[in-house]
């Protein structure tokens, strides 16, 4: 188990986890684990290697030996590479999300990625973003946040993001995708998406990013993780 302090930020996609977790890691000067990216790269690697997402043994082999690297580009962007090939964009598509959540439901894939995730916990500390960071990967974490928002609010946020990128999307379709993914993530047998018993639950539906960040920072201070 890691000897560095860990803050976990779990919750469904679109609740603002990524933004909050990134900002927190930056503010504290701690390491950052985007665990969703590991599942996304696993799904993408299957496409590249010609392994079907429902081939459990094949996907598990891919996860076990996943040659993935994260590098920070100037401007804060994180580049994700598989076998040295940039997959940053490909893993963020809707297909990338589907692949991630399909392979993430395979128990042996989760086991294969467990140790790799724990290796991110190094001094001075780690902010870990995901679904099961506080329940399974870092159950001893100093602070556990579960950040959520209603499905319709998350669909609306995603819709605005995609429209801003010039993509044509349908809001009802997005809402349906989000509901389907939520159902898959919360009902799977291993590591379902549930708050840890000792997690602090924040509903961001009616909160701005600075409001959520302020609430999280308050908890960080209360836990003595930084000077008040
Ligand atoms: O967080 P992100 O949207 O990138 O995650 C993509 C998918 O990976 C999620 O829908 C979920 O199925 C899976 N995931 C997971 N456990 C994590 C992180 C992500 O099962 N810790």
């Amino acid at each position: 188990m890691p000897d560095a302090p860990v803050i976990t930020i779990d919750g469904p996609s679109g609740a603002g986890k990524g933004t909050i977790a990134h900002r927190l890691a930056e503010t504290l000067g701690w390491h950052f684990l985007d665990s969703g990216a590991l599942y996304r790269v696993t799904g993408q690697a299957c496409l590249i290697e010609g392994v079907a997402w429902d081939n459990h043994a094949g996907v598990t082999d891919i996860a076990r030996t996943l040659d993935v690297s994260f590098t920070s580009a100037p401007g804060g962007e994180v580049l994700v590479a598989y076998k040295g090939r940039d997959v940053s964009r490909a893993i963020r598509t809707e297909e990338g999300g589907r692949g991630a959540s399909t392979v993430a439901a395979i128990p042996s894939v989760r086991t294969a990625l467990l140790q790799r995730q724990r290796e991110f916990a190094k001094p001075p500390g780690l902010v870990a973003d995901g679904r099961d960071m506080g329940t399974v990967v870092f159950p001893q974490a100093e602070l556990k946040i579960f950040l959520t928002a209603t499905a319709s609010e998350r669909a609306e946020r995603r819709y605005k993001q995609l429209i801003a990128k010039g993509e044509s999307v349908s809001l009802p379709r997005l809402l349906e995708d989000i509901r389907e993914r939520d159902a898959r993530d919360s009902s799977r047998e291993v590591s379902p998406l549930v708050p840890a018993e000792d997690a602090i639950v924040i509903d961001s539906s009616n909160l701005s990013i600075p409001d959520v960040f302020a609430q999280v920072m308050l908890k960080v201070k209360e836990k003595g993780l930084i000077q008040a």
Side-chain angles (χ1 to χ4, degrees):
M1 280 289 156
D3 52 9
V6 176
I7 298 175
T8 58
I9 309 210
D10 289 305
S13 47
K17 261 178 319 139
T19 311
I20 296 294
H22 256 293
R23 194 174 287 189
L24 186 59
E26 224 171 64
T27 305
L28 300 176
W30 288 12
H31 299 281
F32 178 67
L33 166 62
D34 175 358
S35 60
L38 287 176
Y39 290 99
R40 286 175 183 268
V41 174
T42 303
Q44 191 63 30
C46 291
L47 292 179
I48 293 171
E49 308 294 351
V51 171
W53 290 335
D54 60 0
N55 170 355
H56 291 200
V59 182
T60 305
D61 271 347
I62 297 248
R64 218 175 266 137
T65 55
L66 197 69
D67 177 358
V68 59
S69 65
F70 297 92
T71 39
S72 294
E77 197 196 346
V78 176
L79 295 177
V80 186
Y82 170 67
K83 286 188 175 169
R85 165 173 166 180
D86 186 0
V87 292
S88 318
R89 260 165 193 265
I91 62 167
R92 300 290 163 206
T93 59
E94 294 301 308
E95 187 190 36
R98 255 197 324 276
S101 94
T102 309
V103 301
I106 306 171
S108 50
V109 168
R110 305 199 72 88
T111 308
L113 292 177
L114 195 56
Q115 191 48 34
R116 189 181 292 241
Q117 294 175 81
R118 289 186 174 150
E119 283 163 10
F120 279 77
K122 291 190 188 131
L126 174 71
V127 177
D129 165 347
R131 304 291 190 288
D132 61 342
M133 299 295 98
T135 48
V136 176
V137 183
F138 301 109
Q140 82 302 347
E142 273 69 15
L143 173 62
K144 300 178 184 179
I145 304 282
F146 191 86
L147 189 57
T148 186
T150 60
S152 54
E153 176 61 30
R154 288 183 283 127
E156 196 123 341
R157 288 176 188 172
R158 181 86 184 128
Y159 179 76
K160 285 186 189 147
Q161 271 175 1
L162 293 172
I163 292 291
K165 277 202 228 163
E167 291 181 34
S168 73
V169 279
S170 131
L171 185 57
R173 175 77 212 279
L174 277 179
L175 182 57
E176 200 184 301
D177 277 358
I178 285 185
R179 290 211 167 112
E180 267 173 26
R181 196 179 312 171
D182 280 0
R184 209 165 37 228
D185 286 350
S186 2
S187 66
R188 69 178 171 222
E189 259 170 55
V190 277
S191 301
L193 175 63
V194 286
E197 264 177 36
D198 49 351
I200 292 156
V201 179
I202 300 178
D203 183 337
S204 76
S205 302
N206 298 308
L207 295 175
S208 67
I209 291 168
D211 286 344
V212 175
F213 191 69
Q215 284 199 18
V216 172
M217 281 307 286
L218 199 65
K219 297 296 169 195
V220 171
K221 286 174 191 156
E222 279 174 15
K223 291 275 177 187
L225 294 168
I226 51 168
Q227 300 297 316

